[in-house]
């Protein structure tokens, strides 16, 4: 996994900002209660339910900040070697990395034929962290 390039803003972005930057996809708040019956909602009711401009801007800023990778980000399967020195552990890590690389290759190959590629769960885009 070492040496993988992470695609970030300015090139092709592949993060939650892509989806959430259009507020109807992920409204942070709603100004009206949800409908109680299926099939009765009008476009006007949907527009009235969407958050105001201020809340939408706050949401966009938060999603953008949370969807950025750090310059020194470690991704799934990347571990500082000094923490693991035992041979069985190193072998398990190598096998895990190999499996992750196969998953990345499968996702990359599958996305070649897609108009809208889906990379969100690709291991080389998942930070090796519990932090948001």
């Amino acid at each position: 996994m070492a040496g993988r390039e992470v695609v970030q803003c300015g090139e092709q972005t592949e993060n939650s900002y892509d989806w959430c930057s259009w507020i109807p996809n992920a409204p942070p708040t709603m100004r009206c209660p949800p409908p109680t019956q299926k099939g009765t909602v009008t476009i006007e009711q949907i527009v009235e339910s969407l958050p105001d401009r201020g809340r939408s801007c706050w949401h966009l800023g938060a999603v953008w900040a949370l969807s950025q990778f750090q310059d020194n980000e470690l991704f799934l399967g990347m571990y500082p070697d000094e923490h693991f020195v035992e041979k069985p552990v190193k072998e398990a890590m190598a096998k895990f990395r190999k499996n992750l690389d196969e998953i990345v290759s499968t996702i990359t190959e599958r996305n070649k034929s897609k108009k809208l590629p889906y990379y969100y769960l690709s291991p080389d885009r998942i930070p090796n962290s519990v932090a948001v």
Side-chain angles (χ1 to χ4, degrees):
M1 284 199 161
R4 286 196 190 168
E5 286 188 23
V6 176
V7 180
Q8 293 191 18
C9 289
E11 299 175 31
Q12 177 184 356
T13 58
E14 300 159 356
N15 55 43
S16 58
Y17 186 74
D18 292 344
W19 178 255
C20 296
S21 61
W22 194 59
I23 294 300
N25 281 345
T29 60
M30 296 196 54
R31 296 184 294 170
C32 299
T36 56
Q37 294 180 335
K38 286 188 174 204
T40 62
V41 178
T42 66
I43 192 70
E44 290 80 17
Q45 290 170 314
I46 292 171
V47 170
E48 282 297 313
S49 295
L50 292 174
D52 62 28
R53 190 177 326 159
R55 176 57 58 182
S56 297
C57 290
W58 182 90
H59 172 74
L60 289 174
V63 171
W64 182 85
L66 293 172
S67 65
Q68 301 304 302
F69 295 125
Q70 298 296 317
D71 291 337
N72 59 349
E73 192 83 59
L74 295 176
F75 295 94
L76 199 58
M78 297 178 174
Y79 307 103
D81 288 336
E82 67 271 7
H83 295 298
F84 303 104
V85 295
E86 299 87 359
K87 185 177 179 183
V89 175
K90 286 192 173 258
E91 290 170 354
M93 286 173 32
K95 182 179 178 186
F96 181 58
R97 287 183 182 136
K98 184 177 184 249
N99 289 340
L100 292 175
D101 285 339
E102 289 172 8
I103 293 168
V104 170
S105 295
T106 301
I107 291 171
T108 302
E109 191 61 35
R110 188 182 308 149
N111 279 328
K112 285 181 181 177
S113 63
K114 303 248 183 243
K115 266 187 170 179
L116 182 61
Y118 188 87
Y119 290 100
Y120 301 102
L121 296 177
S122 186
D124 61 342
R125 304 289 192 269
I126 300 173
N128 189 24
S129 171
V130 295
V132 175

